[in-house]
Amino acid sequence: MTSPVPMKIIATMRSAFPSKFGIPRQSGLVESLKSTIVFEPDYRNPDALRGLEGFSHLWLIWSFSKAVREDWSPTVRPPRLGGNTRMGVFATRSPFRPNAIGLSSVKLDSVENHPTLGPVIHVSGADLLDGTPIFDIKPYLPYTDSHPEALGGFTAGYQGYGLEVDFPPTLLEQVPEKDREALTGVLAQDPRPSYQDDPARVYGMAFGSLDVKFKVQDGLLTVVGVEAK
């Protein structure tokens, strides 16, 4: 079968990430990170969410909308391996796939009945770019979806990886209080490409309406600037 299969966009993600740099590499790494799922007009029917409030987590099936390619490669270079070691594309979660489809598990915070947008879903721990098209939403079922004994392959050595974050109080005050924990958590995950380790380099990351500047040396990330865009 080589014929394209049509997919309907049912919703759009609204998140703190207007660009790819800084997005957590997996869902659930920064649980304090809040996002909102807004349905397309044709799917703003509260009946479609009936019973959803009984679940604590959801699966999101979505599009790597900024990574769509006409061709594909059987191997990719995972960032966590330094960007030089190749692995099979189906052994990774790389966005560069035959079909640019992502899968994320997120925590369901609440369902809001918005006066103009209809049912809106608030979630935590998402790893999606702002404006990401969502194809489907399914409940996470702990009795079948959770496998505590599962092996992590070549990713096992990166569990628990993180940086210490030095966020000077004068700069932290420029971040809305409700976003401080999430931003600090995102920075602790080390937004840099793994192959970059220049302590003199100043990195810039967009987070909501802020531009955040930082440096990294010897496992310590230091915020050096916060500006409103």
Side-chain angles (χ1 to χ4, degrees), residues 9-217:
I9 297 172
I10 66 163
T12 301
M13 175 61 77
R14 293 186 178 176
S15 76
F17 298 101
S19 60
K20 292 185 291 183
F21 186 76
I23 297 177
R25 289 178 172 86
Q26 303 293 339
S27 59
L29 290 177
V30 185
E31 286 211 1
S32 54
L33 197 56
K34 306 296 184 181
S35 304
T36 304
I37 299 170
V38 178
F39 287 91
E40 294 296 300
D42 286 350
Y43 301 97
R44 293 176 183 174
N45 187 332
D47 287 342
L49 279 68
R50 188 183 303 169
L52 193 69
E53 68 281 353
F55 297 92
S56 65
H57 292 73
L58 305 173
W59 288 112
L60 305 181
I61 301 171
W62 48 277
S63 168
F64 287 104
S65 53
K66 301 298 183 183
V68 177
R69 294 181 173 182
E70 291 296 326
D71 57 354
W72 73 288
S73 171
T75 61
V76 295
R77 293 179 291 188
R80 279 299 188 206
L81 296 182
N84 295 315
T85 303
R86 286 194 170 272
M87 292 288 178
V89 65
F90 300 129
T92 74
R93 295 191 177 186
S94 167
F96 305 111
R97 324 183 65 79
N99 294 297
I101 295 175
L103 177 69
S104 296
S105 174
V106 298
K107 183 177 182 297
L108 171 61
D109 292 331
S110 64
V111 178
E112 173 192 4
N113 187 19
H114 194 277
T116 57
L117 299 177
V120 170
I121 301 177
H122 297 275
V123 300
S124 298
D127 56 342
L128 279 68
L129 184 75
D130 185 52
T132 294
I134 296 174
F135 296 134
D136 205 358
I137 299 169
K138 299 177 185 289
Y140 177 98
L141 304 178
Y143 76 92
T144 185
D145 293 348
S146 177
H147 302 279
E149 75 286 0
L151 300 179
F154 66 87
T155 71
Y158 297 96
Q159 295 179 17
Y161 171 82
L163 298 173
E164 182 181 352
V165 178
D166 177 14
F167 211 135
T170 54
L171 297 177
L172 187 60
E173 288 174 358
Q174 300 180 45
V175 180
E177 187 172 358
K178 64 180 179 62
D179 297 328
R180 292 174 186 174
E181 182 181 354
L183 174 56
T184 303
V186 169
L187 294 171
Q189 288 297 317
D190 195 354
R192 304 171 302 161
S194 296
Y195 54 84
Q196 292 184 1
D197 190 19
D198 180 359
R201 179 166 182 169
V202 176
Y203 296 86
M205 184 186 82
F207 186 83
S209 62
L210 301 174
D211 281 325
V212 182
K213 308 290 186 184
F214 64 89
K215 291 183 176 182
V216 180
Q217 183 174 10

